Amino acid sequence: MKQSRFAEVYISNQERLKGYVYSLVSNWNDAEEVFQRTSLLLWRKWEQFDQDREFLPWAFGIARIEVKRFLSERNRQQKMLSDSAMETLDTVIVQNADGLQDRLAALEHCVRKLPARQRSILWASYRKSASIEEVGQLFGLSANAVYKRLRKIREQLHRCIDIRLSAWGEG
């Protein structure tokens, strides 16, 4: 496989791979580090990739190894699914990849439609390793108020995504 073809395949699957890594590692900063490590390893091994096979299962397998390596280096005892359960999950993710991409596109659209303050609360809660209490302090809210606002934002996003997907004929 030519490196340029590998680059195309990697780039088109990069967000799925990132989402997969983030689903395995609970801390956002750690997940980002594992994703970067996984990406570097994929680029180092690009010549080993069999272009007759699907990219995502191969990349997910490397990501799983990197997650385990990272957690053992950090002496963290984060519980993970068994390898066979992970392989089953990988298969389901790959089979539903197109639907996931449509949902992600709808989510991006819906998040952009949120008022700025709601977007800020959402990003502060999910993108940073801050606790809900710290997010509340940032916005002058109690932890309970942050939870309530997040619930309302999620409900709003779910409705928006459902409407968007049904408009695309995929709901």
Side-chain angles (χ1 to χ4, degrees), residues 121 125-126 131-133 135-136 141-154:
I121 291 171
S125 299
Y126 287 105
S131 68
I132 290 295
E133 290 77 15
V135 172
L141 301 168
S142 69
N144 192 36
V146 173
Y147 282 120
K148 286 180 180 179
R149 292 204 182 178
L150 285 172
R151 189 187 79 242
K152 286 181 182 178
I153 292 169
R154 283 189 209 108

Side-chain angles (χ1 to χ4, degrees), residues 2-14:
K2 291 183 178 178
Q3 192 172 14
S4 60
R5 175 67 182 125
F6 181 81
E8 289 172 20
V9 171
Y10 173 81
I11 290 168
S12 68
N13 288 286
Q14 185 176 4

Side-chain angles (χ1 to χ4, degrees), residues 21-31 71 76 78:
V21 170
Y22 277 58
S23 74
L24 298 177
V25 180
S26 57
N27 178 289
W28 286 95
N29 293 324
D30 291 348
L71 294 174
R76 295 199 178 147
Q78 180 175 327

